[in-house]
Amino acid sequence: MPPVQTTVIPIGNGSVSPSAMQLTSPLYYAPAPVPCSSTAAPVLRNWKGEPVSLPPHHIMSPVDLAMDQKPIVMRGPFTKEQKEKFRKGTGAGLKISPHHRHQLPVSMGGVIDEIPGPGHPAGNQHTTGKRHPNKKTFFPKKSLRNKEIREHWKEKDARMVERPPGSGQWYDDGF
């Protein structure tokens, strides 16, 4: 077996996949051993295998899933009326927060999770605690965030299946 090198690097360099790392603190990851003969740096990838871009000095959330994990979705059941609201790009008043995992836009390879937001019966898991360690100005324009959230709800509508057929109960089986 070739010799290996292990280093601790800031996560903000965008070159290391969380699935190949161990968290050593909220700011640093220890990459898994990589053979010294390797010349290509690992690339951070999302659950689809697409590359994820990290801005300089970006801090990953200590409570969010790794980028390579499938998105969290609320499965349902949902009513026909709620499904219609998803189709229009809204959250259907369910107090489910579409959260950009690690505060990264989908356009940069990010992932949107559906988590209980303010007023949800399960409690607010979105805006409490240490979920958002970066400045709120991360998105260059609020319109980018809003556009990605609208698209998320429309994609949710497209995934939904009525079970049993004719029951008026709609489910999102995820990805």
Side-chain angles (χ1 to χ4, degrees):
M1 179 173 192
V4 295
Q5 62 186 21
T6 302
T7 57
V8 176
I9 57 175
I11 61 172
N13 75 356
S15 65
V16 181
S17 169
S19 62
M21 299 182 285
Q22 294 179 326
L23 185 62
T24 59
S25 80
L27 300 178
Y28 293 91
Y29 281 97
V34 176
C36 291
S37 61
S38 173
T39 56
V43 175
L44 179 63
R45 296 196 177 274
N46 65 19
W47 69 280
K48 295 178 183 178
E50 301 167 337
V52 177
S53 300
L54 293 178
H57 311 293
H58 187 75
I59 300 171
M60 303 293 261
S61 169
V63 296
D64 284 349
L65 293 175
M67 293 301 294
D68 62 358
Q69 300 296 307
K70 285 188 176 183
I72 298 169
V73 297
M74 298 294 179
R75 303 219 179 259
F78 301 103
T79 65
K80 180 180 178 182
E81 293 77 19
Q82 291 165 332
K83 184 180 184 321
E84 289 298 320
K85 289 181 181 179
F86 291 140
R87 180 173 293 145
K88 293 177 183 175
T90 71
L94 296 173
K95 303 194 185 313
I96 299 170
S97 292
H99 167 65
H100 284 82
R101 191 181 297 173
H102 298 289
Q103 295 176 269
L104 296 169
V106 174
S107 58
M108 292 176 65
V111 176
I112 294 182
D113 290 315
E114 296 173 8
I115 57 177
H120 192 278
N124 179 11
Q125 297 173 21
H126 185 229
T127 56
T128 58
K130 299 178 181 180
R131 190 170 296 278
H132 299 101
N134 298 287
K135 293 180 181 178
K136 293 185 186 246
T137 58
F138 175 75
F139 288 93
K141 297 180 181 175
K142 192 172 183 176
S143 60
L144 170 63
R145 179 181 174 276
N146 293 340
K147 176 183 178 245
E148 290 186 351
I149 289 171
R150 278 191 309 276
E151 289 304 312
H152 169 79
W153 292 129
K154 290 176 182 179
E155 291 168 5
K156 181 177 187 69
D157 167 67
R159 289 191 308 267
M160 294 177 80
V161 177
E162 187 177 24
R163 271 197 313 266
S167 68
Q169 298 292 300
W170 293 85
Y171 295 85
D172 180 354
D173 291 330
F175 301 91

